[in-house]
Amino acid sequence: MTHSTHPQLLAFIVGPFEYIEAYTSGEHNGSPVQVRVYTLPGAVEQGRYALGVCTQALEYFAKVFGIPYPLPKMDLVAIPDFEAGAMENWGLVTYRTIALLFDEKYSSIAFKKQVTYTVCHELAHQWFGNLVTMEWWDHLWLNEGFATWVGWLAADNLNPDWDVWTAFVDGDMPRALVLDSLRSSHPIEVAVCDPSEINQIFDAISYHKGASVIRMLSSWLGVDVFLAGVRRYLHRHKYGNASTGDLWNALGEEAGIDVGRFMQLWTKEIGYPVLNIATSDSGEVHISQSRYLSTGDLESHEDEVNWWVPLSVMTHNSSAVEPLTLTNKSQSFNLPADGLFKLNAGQTGVYRVNYPRETLLRLGEECKKGKNGLFKNTSDRVGLVADAGSLSVSGEQKTSAFLELVIQFENEDQYFHYLNRTTSSVWSQISGHLSSIISAWYEQPGHVLSAFKALRRHLFSPLAHKLGWEFPASEEYLTAMLRIVVIPNAGYGADKRIVAEAQDRFWRFVRDSDATAVHPNLRGIVYEIVLQHAKDEAEETGVWEAILRVFKDTSLPTDQRYIALSKLGDTKSQALVERLLGMTLDSEQIRQQDVIYAFRSLGSNMHARTYLWSFFSRNFDFFHERFVNSMKLFDILIKSSIDGFSDDARINEVEAFFVGKDTKEYDRSLRQAIEAARVNAKWVARDRADVEAWAEKINALGW
Ligand SMILES: [Zn+2]
């Protein structure tokens, strides 16, 4: 039987591939489906893990979508040169090698989750995207946002111990919210008039904000009701086209409410709200909403949307979450007047909450009480940190308030036993915001930067010493993830024991070829710590060249080679920065698709940023021509070269460079990169004195 297929979704692959195969159980598909993973010769066993994920996920999706997978076979192909992460051709999905292959012994476990998710995401498209296709590009988000959400749903089903939804709150959701806090963002549903615009909307808004609003809706309706609505939608539109409105209609019929009425605010309007909380003596709590901009300079004509906001309030008075909603600009609610409540239970709502500074710090105290406090689950602690960190960027909150909040997490190792393994996402969120502050403050005086180092040691070293460097086979996934977060932070904080251990292990690994000296999960971290703490340029060059040899070792799994490549940019040495930049011009040295890893690491390295921009602008025409058919990758080159700056003079220079250029193909990325740099500049100007005063206090403590 043949099916009509969207021309974009047809692919033929010819090449010297090897494969392994397996069959699904057939439990929900009616009969077993043949699954094969194809790789270049020699790597096929690294496809074993994805093969297992695929056979399980095909049955899972047949169950949740209520429609069997329509083809008798599913092929997954790892392609060495590939622009996208993966492409969901019907019955044959192509992947970047790194998105599909995983070696149980030699790969880093961080990639295990990524492979699981990517395989599930692409399989979901076989229904959502291929069985039902989008009417037009305006509805791209419907494919991508949904596949992202349901990809994580399947990953959670396969690995409940990974706590993937808390990781979503720590990772995917902030990616969306950071981008969507810029004026140069776009609504989820965006009109596409020109083919050059299509590439530019395959971004964190379509994928991660799309998934976030779906998660918000599914939490509000209940996941079972939501999935019943999805089945209704798929049955109604299979082998046809559909639009966003069709999904809202099917969900609304299932839930008995007008879903489109409030969801269209989320998909048709740019941005999302920040809620401001004010308590009064009368015991009423006023909550108001306005659009959140990380530049912190919202004008009234930009603030005309009243979002539908599910408040999901947690209080001490009740164990149940109160399902209140905010639908006006400002409303009063009967909530504890002492301010001890947390909105956005489970962090499922797409908004930020601005608590008064004193309340924020009291909520920090609540975090310490574990299950006896207000914060019953990890997502809420991650959300508190995420909101406070972001609101300090835009000026709703002071940066020192955020820094004081995270200090309250000190000694978390003492209550580690009952907060348990799930703390890795909290620490990862804290780490990310500290890195953002340090990155923006990179041109500030040394005593300020040393206060940040002291804070990192103070917070992360006790946990790093407690967890150690080994990964016992019986260990839970999230304990391993916690170690992967805390060791580098202790290292960035120049913890002497951690740095010495990293150096010792590094040389045993590269000089004595002792592969057990550095676990694959820690290699990138060790490279970075050892590069940062080299005592002089000669030592740093030796370290750098050893990492370069790892990158060039084709016998290693792809993830290990990429980890090495993406750390080569972490050097302080101008000569080494320039060597790496030179390598990006030569596809014999760094494949075209992999240049982004070098650019990303150079852009996030405060010592390399200026050279990167100068190099990129000098070679702009070369890169533009080379990436003319890979504009998604070119966007990453632009962003990496620009968005780390935090002073206006340099940003003006960047703007001047593009005057008179035809920027049509990369216009959105360019505007976003420049705006992100302006956000940094405003932030530092606004809070320079605030952070300076905080740093003096910290330095006096002698941590
Ligand atoms: Zn997709």
Side-chain angles (χ1 to χ4, degrees), residues 76-121:
L76 290 70
V77 186
I79 311 256
D81 270 303
F82 196 58
E83 177 188 346
M87 184 64 217
E88 66 272 16
N89 316 288
W90 213 347
L92 185 155
V93 183
T94 48
Y95 294 82
R96 245 181 201 239
T97 311
I98 194 157
L100 188 63
L101 302 191
F102 178 80
D103 186 311
E104 291 284 354
K105 193 159 174 216
Y106 297 110
S107 292
S108 166
I109 54 162
F111 289 89
K112 191 171 199 173
K113 187 161 76 180
Q114 208 49 45
V115 167
T116 308
Y117 161 73
T118 310
V119 168
C120 293
H121 174 115

Side-chain angles (χ1 to χ4, degrees), residues 86 88 117 121-122 125 143-145 147-148 202 207:
E88 66 272 16
Y117 161 73
H121 174 115
E122 300 307 325
H125 277 314
N143 285 354
E144 296 308 342
T148 301
F202 278 90
Y207 284 75

